[in-house]
């Protein structure tokens, strides 16, 4: 015979040997702990804010609880507007300055650690995660939308983000300051609370629909609709730390891709650049192979493979530590420089808070 026939063992690539990871993965335990601590912090802030609002609604009767500035973490548009004000003027705005510090902290997290804010801190992200897990146990599975529906729907959050960026981008420093000083700007947080306290039928149906969709589709809100997550995702493209796969250690089992809540093809990429990656490390937790999947800086190219990842990977405790460090660092800085609280006389709130529902957007 002229042509040589390949032996079966030559025709097929030899199956890679699995070198099992030595230590069990702790990433999800650490991440869930951080998530619940942040939910508890938000609950604590929410309770104080509610008591503060009730004080003014009762005409100044009862115990006065100071307004918790942390509630402004729920005012991302104010954070965006105030950040632009800071850029234009070099001055920290007087109203809702905490919104700006928190906004900057969350951007910084995304710049360093992908969209970790969404999977580690954001209470809406936490709720979304538990809703799809609940949906999976109730319906037996979650739905994955086909690509033709998934791609355009993912664009919705960027459209919403684009709208806010264009509107805020067109405002001058005077317009930004003027907006914050309007009654609407001053009680934007009270209006948000009232939205949920006095929820109308239409809004309740929309929220109910979102809850149902979040049970059916993994992270429905975050994946398709959240403009804040869209912004964090775009910033996260610059993050030097990414999920990285070592193709030599990987045994191509596909467990990482099947586990990824963002539906990313982790098993066929060397690094995950996607703006959808939230650094949840679920893929890392699912991987059975030692050092195959890491949340890390790019590996060194050394002669000894064992040194490639030396001091390059970020374990879950390091991720949690950096997130907490940035968060607490910015809050302490704002407090130390006396820029954390919005210092508005009580009489102003006494006028505005009980009538917050009657206050309209200045553009309406
Ligand atoms: S690639 Fe990994 S870290 Fe990124 S979203 Fe998917 S499971 Fe989470
Ligand atoms: S889980 Fe993914 S990275 Fe880990 S061995 Fe399987 S295919 Fe490779």
């Amino acid at each position: 015979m002229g042509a040589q026939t390949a032996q079966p063992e030559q025709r097929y690539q030899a199956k890679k040997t699995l070198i099992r990871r030595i230590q069990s993965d702790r990433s999800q335990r650490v991440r869930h702990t951080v998530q619940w601590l942040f939910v508890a912090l938000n609950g604590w802030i929410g309770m104080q804010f509610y008591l503060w609002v009730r004080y003014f609604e009762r005409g100044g009767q009862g115990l006065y609880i100071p307004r918790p500035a942390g509630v402004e973490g729920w005012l991302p548009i104010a954070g965006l507007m105030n950040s632009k004000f800071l850029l234009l003027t070099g001055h920290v705005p007087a109203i809702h300055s905490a919104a700006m510090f928190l906004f900057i902290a969350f951007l910084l997290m995304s710049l360093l650690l992908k969209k970790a804010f969404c999977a580690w801190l954001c209470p809406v992200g936490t709720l979304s995660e538990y809703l799809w897990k609940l949906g999976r146990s109730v319906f037996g599975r979650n739905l994955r939308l086909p690509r033709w529906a998934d791609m355009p729907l993912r664009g919705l959050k960027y459209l919403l983000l684009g709208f806010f960026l264009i509107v805020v981008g067109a405002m001058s420093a005077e317009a930004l300051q003027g907006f914050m000083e309007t009654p609407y700007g001053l009680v934007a947080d009270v209006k948000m609370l009232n939205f949920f306290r006095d929820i109308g039928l239409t809004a309740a149906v929309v929220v109910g629909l979102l809850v149902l969709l979040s049970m059916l589709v993994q992270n429905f809100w975050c994946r398709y609709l959240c403009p804040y997550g869209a912004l964090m995702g775009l910033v996260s493209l610059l993050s030097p730390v990414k999920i990285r796969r070592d193709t030599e250690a990987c045994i191509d089992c596909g467990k990482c891709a099947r586990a990824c809540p963002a539906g990313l093809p982790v098993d066929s990429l060397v690094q995950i650049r996607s703006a959808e990656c939230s650094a949840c490390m679920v893929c890392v937790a699912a991987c059975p192979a030692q050092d195959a999947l890491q949340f890390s800086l790019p590996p060194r190219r050394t002669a000894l493979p064992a040194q490639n990842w030396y001091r390059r990977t970020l374990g879950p405790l390091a991720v949690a530590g950096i997130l907490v460090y940035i968060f607490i660092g910015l809050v302490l800085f704002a407090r130390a420089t006396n820029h954390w609280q919005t210092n508005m006389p009580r009489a102003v709130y006494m006028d505005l808070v009980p009538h917050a529902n009657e206050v309209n957007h200045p553009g309406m």
Side-chain angles (χ1 to χ4, degrees):
M1 277 165 58
Q4 271 194 330
T5 315
Q7 295 300 307
E9 58 273 21
Q10 290 172 307
R11 271 189 263 133
Y12 301 112
Q13 201 186 11
K15 198 175 169 200
K16 291 188 199 162
T17 312
L18 168 64
I19 300 176
R20 282 205 176 275
R21 50 203 295 174
I22 304 159
Q23 288 177 327
S24 62
D25 182 85
R26 292 184 297 173
S27 64
Q28 299 314 294
R29 223 178 317 148
V30 176
R31 186 171 68 87
H32 293 320
T33 305
V34 175
Q35 279 181 317
W36 285 112
L37 284 174
F38 213 68
V39 167
L41 176 64
N42 275 274
W44 172 243
I45 289 171
M47 199 176 68
Q48 291 178 69
F49 183 64
Y50 175 75
L51 292 174
W52 178 81
V53 170
R54 289 296 297 143
Y55 172 83
F56 293 109
E57 287 177 343
R58 284 196 297 253
Q61 300 295 311
L63 181 68
Y64 177 75
I65 304 276
R67 178 178 176 278
V71 76
E72 293 172 19
W74 291 88
L75 300 177
I77 310 292
L80 175 66
M81 293 170 84
N82 280 340
S83 300
K84 184 177 174 196
F85 181 85
L86 178 71
L87 280 177
L88 290 176
T89 66
H91 296 297
V92 176
I95 297 163
H96 299 324
S97 47
M100 183 194 75
F101 282 105
L102 291 169
F103 182 74
I104 293 172
F106 300 148
L107 285 180
L108 205 53
M109 291 171 188
S110 305
L111 191 62
L112 294 177
L113 299 174
K114 296 293 292 177
K115 225 169 46 157
F117 166 74
C118 300
W120 289 70
L121 297 185
C122 177
V124 180
T126 304
L127 179 66
S128 290
E129 182 174 341
Y130 282 88
L131 281 174
W132 67 253
K133 285 180 177 166
L134 176 68
R136 182 180 276 183
S137 53
V138 171
F139 305 118
R141 59 185 285 248
N142 295 119
L143 297 178
R144 281 237 160 124
L145 297 191
R147 202 175 155 76
W148 59 262
D150 180 62
M151 291 301 281
L153 281 175
R154 267 161 53 182
L156 283 177
K157 61 180 184 287
Y158 295 108
L159 280 180
L160 289 168
L161 172 65
F163 168 76
F164 291 121
L165 289 179
I166 288 170
V167 171
V168 176
M171 293 173 83
S172 63
E174 293 73 31
L176 292 163
Q177 188 175 11
F179 180 90
M180 286 300 161
E181 287 172 353
T182 60
Y184 184 92
L186 286 170
V187 291
D189 41 14
V190 182
K191 286 186 77 68
M192 189 176 49
L193 174 71
N194 289 352
F195 172 82
F196 289 102
R197 281 201 300 175
D198 314 324
I199 194 161
L201 182 64
T202 314
V205 169
V206 171
V207 172
L209 196 62
L210 282 174
V211 168
L212 180 65
L213 288 168
S214 300
M215 287 174 71
L216 292 171
V217 179
Q218 287 180 326
N219 297 331
F220 182 86
W221 168 262
C222 311
R223 189 172 179 81
Y224 299 125
L225 295 174
C226 180
Y228 207 28
L231 178 63
M232 299 299 152
L234 290 179
V235 174
S236 81
L237 294 173
L238 300 172
S239 168
V241 188
K242 291 180 172 54
I243 293 289
R244 291 190 160 88
R245 188 173 65 99
D246 182 334
T247 50
E248 285 168 28
C250 169
I251 56 158
D252 303 314
C253 66
K255 287 184 177 175
C256 48
R258 287 195 293 278
C260 174
L264 296 169
V266 190
D267 58 339
S268 57
L269 298 170
V270 173
Q271 58 181 346
I272 305 294
R273 295 174 196 269
S274 169
E276 300 292 329
C277 176
S278 61
C280 65
M281 295 173 93
V282 167
C283 54
V284 177
C287 177
Q290 179 70 27
D291 298 335
L293 212 52
Q294 326 253 15
F295 190 45
S296 72
L297 291 162
R300 286 191 194 87
R301 286 293 155 217
T302 62
L304 292 174
Q307 290 180 351
N308 287 353
W309 299 101
Y310 183 63
R311 292 196 173 163
R312 308 293 280 176
T313 65
L314 257 76
L317 284 176
V319 175
I322 295 171
L323 293 175
V324 171
Y325 185 79
I326 294 174
F327 180 72
I328 293 184
L330 264 283
V331 172
L332 289 182
F333 175 78
R335 280 180 181 275
T337 53
N338 207 17
H339 286 125
W340 182 241
Q341 294 288 346
T342 298
N343 292 314
M344 205 34 75
R346 257 191 231 189
V348 174
Y349 289 126
M350 195 62 86
D351 267 355
L352 289 177
V353 172
H355 310 291
N357 283 348
E358 295 145 36
V359 172
N360 285 324
H361 192 281
M364 294 170 94

